[in-house]
Amino acid sequence: MADRAVARYRCGRTKHSVNMQPAIIFAIFLAYFLLLKWIKRSAKPALPLPPGPKGYPIIGNLLDIPSATPWRTFTEWSKVYGDVMYLKLSRKPAVILSSAKATFDLLEKRSDIYSDRPGSLILKLLSWDWNLGVMPYSQKWRAHRREFHQFFNQREVPRFQSIQLHECHAFLRRLVRSPDNLDQHIRHVLTAIILKITYDMDITDINDEYVHLAQEAVLGFSVSMIPGAFWVEHFPFLRFIPAWLPGFPFRKTVDYYRPIVETMRSKPFDKIQQDINEGKVKPSVTASLIERLQRKSGGVALSSTDDELARNVTGLAYAAAADTTSSATQTFMIAMALYPDVQRKAQEELDRVVGPNRLPEFEDHDDLVYIQAIILEAMRWMVVTPLGVTHCVTADDEYKGFFIPKGAAVIANIWAMLHDPDDYPEPMVFKPERYIKDGKLDPSVRDPLTLAFGFGRRICPGRYLAMGSLFITIASVLHTFNIEPTMSEDGKVFDPFSSVVSGVISSPEYVPCKVTPRSDKAKQLIQESSVLPSTLSG
């Protein structure tokens, strides 16, 4: 919890506060507004824009968007303005989609014009613009997507299962030794999995530098992507304001996170390149990718373009898998602590399918229907990416009689969709049974994964690896541990929605749970677990 608080302090985020002299602010914004009016010569559209809150002159709705959990505010607004809502964000208008139908109609069925990204000055300043997830829809994006998919598609990820098992069993042993460090253990295991797969690095220390790099770099990315979080995004000239002038938190954010992001992307990659040059490289995704690109170029050293591509693809795998899957695992832990009946039913299924003499394996997946339902509900209940990653429309469009202008940011309010009572009755309740009918997953219930991992051509390419890591971690923990809530000083049970880290990636600030082995037999299974990770090839 302290780490998160420190990170927020480093970001310098405040709630709609700008500590500049009012006269300077007014003069700058007025000049900027008049300049935009002068250069803007677009004709008024024949159709009306979607409805939305009125906003203020010049700055539009910037002051209306809260810095904490904006998805909840958007959800409330949608009850007034509808599931297609328009916000004025200075020079960047935004369309908020709050229903699955509207989102699929536009981002899936019209993906030819809704697959771009709006571009982000703050991400460029943070050195995060190499991220496949925020790249413009272009040939460069296609090349990156193709190489990422080559290693992490549905057919390829099963070859990583021995690594996932090995690291999961190490995670269980750490929980036995030091159960109080639950938050750190969760980050450790999921970072260790992706580092082993991507760079063949073994992470054994809970305070390892690479765990810290991934956590901090992704936190910087996450907080910078909140709509309206940094005014420099909407008034680019602010980046030229002298550094000594107070009231610009983006400067503190950039100064802190930029070197972390650059180190995270380059340091493990440089190590692999050095090992290759010294002839001692071991199989990994990075080594395989470098060798593939070298073969394509006739065996010579990587060109600057190929070097950049390889760094970007492997850096994204490292960063994204380490943080998003951690958030989902934290949510699972909290849900089990708060819903003991769910935990009991899951353990009964594990006892029946797996039995007392071994740990769960990937081959048990299809028989563990209730475990699958728990994972679906964890992805729905506390959404990892509540607003997804913003899309951008590349041509004027019309929907439901409304005009959607070219260049508008299009934001899918995934939190609203996954808490729609029409699809998920009692949406604030953690209820895996909602997905099960006659002992099988019920296809008539909307699958949360069709929303949680994004849409159209920008759907998350790492989703298969993430779901594999979630399954084996959740099944193994429930098979061997009991999870209980820790009480506050006043004896109250923790409210999971009262304290979350707001950003494009949302997660609990901390996990108020305690874990204890279910039995001596469970402890013995953990201590005797010895799955060795197989080597990667190809």
Side-chain angles (χ1 to χ4, degrees):
M1 182 174 180
D3 289 345
R4 295 293 192 184
V6 170
R8 288 200 304 275
Y9 171 77
R10 288 166 178 159
C11 294
R13 290 185 291 156
T14 57
K15 191 174 183 179
H16 315 314
S17 62
V18 180
N19 299 321
M20 291 175 61
Q21 297 179 11
I24 297 176
I25 296 175
F26 179 77
I28 292 174
F29 286 162
L30 180 61
Y32 186 69
F33 176 71
L34 293 174
L35 178 63
L36 288 179
K37 283 289 187 182
W38 181 70
I39 63 176
K40 187 175 181 181
R41 300 176 183 233
S42 58
K44 185 176 181 179
L47 294 171
L49 293 166
K54 185 176 180 180
Y56 300 91
I58 303 177
I59 62 173
N61 299 108
L62 279 177
L63 293 180
D64 297 326
I65 302 175
S67 59
T69 61
W71 47 89
R72 288 202 160 197
T73 299
F74 294 161
T75 302
E76 291 303 310
W77 287 351
S78 71
K79 297 174 184 177
V80 178
Y81 301 108
D83 60 349
V84 182
M85 181 171 55
Y86 187 83
L87 299 183
K88 297 177 286 289
L89 301 179
S90 178
R91 68 189 185 96
K92 289 188 176 183
V95 174
I96 313 295
L97 307 176
S98 296
S99 73
K101 182 180 187 323
T103 301
F104 288 132
D105 283 349
L106 298 182
L107 304 189
E108 295 274 356
K109 295 179 181 179
R110 304 184 192 179
S111 61
D112 56 323
I113 62 170
Y114 282 90
S115 294
D116 204 9
R117 297 298 194 205
S120 169
L121 177 59
I122 191 68
L123 287 183
K124 185 175 182 179
L125 294 173
L126 286 171
S127 194
W128 257 118
D129 53 331
W130 54 267
N131 182 341
L132 168 66
V134 297
M135 277 185 187
Y137 187 63
S138 61
Q139 283 300 119
K140 181 178 180 179
W141 172 82
R142 291 185 186 92
H144 281 68
R145 173 84 179 204
R146 184 168 54 250
E147 294 300 339
F148 194 101
H149 179 77
Q150 189 77 25
F151 293 97
F152 296 103
N153 64 67
Q154 191 171 14
R155 293 186 305 274
E156 287 293 307
V157 295
R159 71 192 183 105
F160 305 136
Q161 288 178 356
S162 65
I163 291 175
Q164 291 167 303
L165 269 175
H166 173 78
E167 296 298 344
C168 180
H169 293 175
F171 168 60
L172 300 179
R173 290 192 290 273
R174 287 191 290 270
L175 286 182
V176 171
R177 290 196 302 268
S178 55
D180 293 338
N181 294 324
L182 184 56
D183 275 323
Q184 293 167 295
H185 291 321
I186 290 172
R187 289 195 295 271
H188 183 176
V189 62
L190 294 162
T191 305
I193 287 171
I194 196 61
L195 278 169
K196 184 67 176 177
I197 290 170
T198 308
Y199 303 109
D200 191 45
M201 287 187 176
D202 295 304
I203 304 300
T204 57
D205 189 340
I206 198 170
N207 297 311
D208 190 277
E209 174 191 12
Y210 289 102
V211 178
H212 171 78
L213 281 173
Q215 179 189 354
E216 290 291 278
V218 176
L219 182 60
F221 172 79
S222 182
V223 299
S224 69
M225 291 289 284
I226 301 175
F230 297 100
W231 283 32
V232 69
E233 198 70 81
H234 308 283
F235 302 100
F237 66 85
L238 291 177
R239 70 187 187 276
F240 300 117
I241 297 294
W244 50 264
L245 197 63
F248 296 96
F250 81 90
R251 289 192 174 277
K252 186 180 292 186
T253 302
V254 169
D255 290 345
Y256 175 72
Y257 285 111
R258 184 183 179 94
I260 292 175
V261 174
E262 292 175 345
T263 301
M264 181 213 69
R265 173 176 173 258
S266 295
K267 188 168 183 176
F269 185 88
D270 289 341
K271 181 181 183 302
I272 295 293
Q273 278 199 319
Q274 181 180 345
D275 289 345
I276 290 175
N277 294 337
E278 295 174 359
K280 60 180 184 182
V281 67
K282 291 183 288 186
S284 68
V285 164
T286 302
S288 297
L289 178 55
I290 291 173
E291 290 164 2
R292 255 170 47 82
L293 294 173
Q294 284 178 332
R295 285 196 300 271
K296 284 173 60 177
S297 60
V300 298
L302 293 182
S303 66
S304 59
T305 300
D306 284 344
D307 181 86
E308 179 189 19
L309 187 154
R311 288 176 187 272
N312 295 350
V313 167
T314 54
L316 176 63
Y318 167 26
D323 204 77
T324 54
T325 318
S326 295
S327 177
T329 306
Q330 289 174 314
T331 295
F332 150 74
M333 290 286 188
I334 291 173
M336 293 303 98
L338 297 180
Y339 292 86
D341 287 347
V342 171
Q343 182 178 177
R344 177 182 52 78
K345 290 178 184 178
Q347 290 173 336
E348 288 174 354
E349 180 182 67
L350 284 158
D351 291 343
R352 184 178 68 255
V353 172
V354 178
N357 298 317
R358 65 177 179 89
L359 295 175
E361 299 173 355
F362 282 95
E363 289 75 13
D364 298 315
H365 177 272
D366 292 348
D367 295 323
L368 294 173
V369 176
Y370 199 71
I371 297 297
Q372 294 179 57
I374 284 177
I375 294 171
L376 294 178
E377 187 70 340
M379 296 294 290
R380 183 203 69 81
W381 189 55
M382 294 181 71
V383 190
V384 174
T385 52
L387 297 177
V389 180
T390 303
H391 289 236
C392 181
V393 60
T394 56
D396 289 344
D397 197 19
E398 177 270 329
Y399 184 67
K400 289 187 174 181
F402 296 120
F403 175 69
I404 298 177
K406 174 182 177 180
V410 182
I411 300 172
N413 186 356
I414 298 172
W415 195 93
M417 300 173 213
L418 290 177
H419 291 79
D420 182 346
D422 290 336
D423 284 333
Y424 309 103
E426 298 181 283
M428 302 304 287
V429 177
F430 191 92
K431 189 177 180 182
E433 290 80 4
R434 69 174 84 243
Y435 306 102
I436 299 176
K437 183 177 181 180
D438 299 329
K440 299 179 180 179
L441 293 181
D442 185 355
S444 68
V445 179
R446 189 184 299 279
D447 182 348
L449 303 185
T450 62
L451 300 168
F453 283 113
F455 308 95
R457 301 175 190 183
R458 303 306 293 244
I459 192 170
C460 173
R463 60 194 183 279
Y464 301 115
L465 182 69
M467 293 306 295
S469 293
L470 268 180
F471 166 74
I472 202 62
T473 302
I474 286 174
S476 298
V477 168
L478 282 172
H479 193 53
T480 53
F481 286 92
N482 289 320
I483 306 167
E484 300 175 86
T486 54
M487 301 294 183
S488 62
E489 293 182 358
D490 58 3
K492 293 182 179 179
V493 176
F494 173 77
D495 176 4
F497 297 99
S498 66
S499 185
V500 296
V501 177
S502 291
V504 68
I505 300 168
S506 177
S507 61
E509 278 202 54
Y510 64 104
V511 183
C513 306
K514 60 180 180 179
V515 295
T516 54
R518 290 180 66 194
S519 65
D520 290 339
K521 179 64 175 179
K523 278 181 79 170
Q524 182 183 351
L525 284 177
I526 292 170
Q527 299 299 347
E528 293 176 352
S529 61
S530 59
V531 173
L532 297 177
S534 63
T535 58
L536 306 180
S537 61

